[in-house]
């Protein structure tokens, strides 16, 4: 027989494994969503570069596909019990965050197209970095890494900003998502 | 008085069962993911999975995905029951209900 300290250590061990499993499940689902968003924004930037007057329509389509795709991936991933409610809370938090972004960028702020182009990627990357405080460091790395590349593009890419953004934002999300699957 | 399950009580087997038990019934974990989660080596993990399988606590499914062999381990109903009893016994020990 074991004493209460050993029993407590065994239970801690169990909790540790379960925590690691949950984090790994979150990484598996999130990485698919991140890679999908990376591909979508990559196409979105290239389309915007090719047809500048259609910018708002292009991004509305990209966002709608992205949100629907994210919900579909989360819904069909078949993770453990309770994960559905968890994912729903995360989605509501994300939608509140987006609503605040729209309020800032459309009502409060008067951004020029170039500023608007980097505002949304930076704003969503802030969400990634904040999510990382709960869901694991990989989100923080992707959020901060992408933000640094976006800010660099804003200051130094000049007229090729859309092309730079396609590579640094879309590319960073795709690579970050693939990296997340390996950890 | 409930007894600790000697098969599950071994630290690595406890970690294996904890991970598998946290999944929905009939959902398994691939060997590589289980290895990452438990921090075990290939040989060590394989030996302990075999012990659990002999006890009827896990089912091992070997298949090919493309050209790669893939081993999936799933907790059986008996394994889940044994794990639940083991955890209950640990909690009783902590609560002082057992010597």
């Amino acid at each position: 027989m074991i004493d209460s300290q050993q029993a407590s250590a065994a239970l801690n061990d169990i909790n540790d494994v379960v925590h690691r499993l949950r984090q790994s499940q979150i990484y598996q689902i999130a990485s698919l969503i991140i890679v999908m968003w990376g591909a979508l924004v990559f196409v979105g930037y290239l389309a915007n570069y090719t047809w500048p007057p259609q910018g708002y329509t292009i991004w509305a389509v990209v966002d709608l596909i992205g949100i629907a795709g994210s919900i579909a991936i989360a819904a069909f991933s078949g993770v453990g019990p309770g994960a559905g409610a968890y994912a729903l809370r995360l989605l509501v938090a994300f939608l509140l965050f987006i609503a605040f972004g729209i309020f800032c960028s459309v009502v409060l702020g008067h951004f020029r197209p170039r500023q608007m182009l980097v505002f949304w990627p930076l704003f969503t990357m802030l969400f990634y970095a904040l999510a990382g405080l709960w869901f694991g460091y990989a989100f923080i790395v992707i959020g901060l890494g992408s933000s640094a590349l976006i800010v660099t593009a804003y200051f130094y890419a000049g007229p090729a900003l859309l092309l730079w953004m396609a590579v640094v934002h879309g590319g960073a999300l795709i690579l970050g998502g693939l990296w997340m699957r390996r950890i | 008085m409930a007894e600790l399950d000697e098969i599950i009580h071994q630290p690595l087997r406890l970690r294996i069962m904890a991970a598998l038990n946290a999944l929905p019934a009939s959902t398994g974990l691939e060997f590589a993911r289980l290895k990452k989660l438990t921090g075990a080596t290939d040989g060590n993990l394989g030996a302990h999975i075999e012990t659990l399988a002999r006890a009827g606590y896990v089912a091992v499914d070997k298949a090919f995905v493309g050209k790669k062999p893939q081993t999936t381990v799933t907790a059986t109903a008996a394994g889940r029951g044994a794990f639940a009893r083991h955890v209950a016994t640990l909690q009783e020990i902590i609560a002082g209900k057992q010597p």
Side-chain angles (χ1 to χ4, degrees), chain A:
Chain A
M1 195 46 92
I2 59 172
D3 62 26
S4 64
Q5 265 190 335
Q6 289 168 311
S8 183
L11 284 182
N12 284 342
D13 218 17
I14 291 169
N15 289 335
D16 175 56
V17 172
V18 173
H19 172 76
R20 289 171 71 163
L21 175 74
R22 295 279 176 252
Q23 187 170 61
S24 132
Q25 288 176 315
I26 289 171
Y27 278 1
Q28 291 288 317
I29 297 169
S31 63
L32 284 177
I33 293 174
I34 291 171
V35 169
M36 178 199 70
W37 274 104
L40 280 173
V41 299
F42 181 81
V43 172
Y45 286 121
L46 290 185
N48 198 353
Y49 181 79
T50 312
W51 300 287
Q54 306 299 324
Y56 281 108
T57 310
I58 289 166
W59 288 109
V61 171
V62 165
D63 289 343
L64 279 176
I65 295 172
I67 290 168
S70 303
I71 293 170
I73 290 171
F76 290 107
S77 293
V79 290
Y86 199 61
L88 187 66
R89 281 204 300 274
L90 193 62
L91 178 68
V92 170
F94 185 69
L95 292 178
L96 284 172
F97 205 72
I98 294 297
F100 181 71
I102 291 171
F103 183 69
C104 285
S105 60
V106 177
V107 181
L108 292 181
H110 300 283
F111 297 157
R112 294 195 303 273
R114 188 178 180 86
Q115 292 166 326
M116 189 67 118
L117 198 66
V118 294
F119 170 75
W120 280 102
L122 282 175
F123 195 61
T124 48
M125 286 305 103
L126 172 65
F127 185 80
Y128 276 62
L130 289 175
L133 297 174
W134 283 270
F135 302 122
Y137 71 95
F139 288 96
I140 299 175
V141 173
I142 292 173
L144 295 184
S146 294
S147 296
L149 291 170
I150 292 164
V151 170
T152 307
Y154 176 73
F155 286 111
Y156 299 108
L161 180 62
L162 279 164
L163 293 179
W164 261 65
M165 288 296 286
V167 175
V168 301
H169 187 212
L173 286 178
I174 292 170
L175 290 177
L178 293 174
W179 167 68
M180 191 181 253
R181 290 189 78 75
R182 297 178 64 87
I183 55 176

Side-chain angles (χ1 to χ4, degrees), chain B residues 24 30 41-42:
Chain B
E30 290 156 27
T41 61
D42 279 350

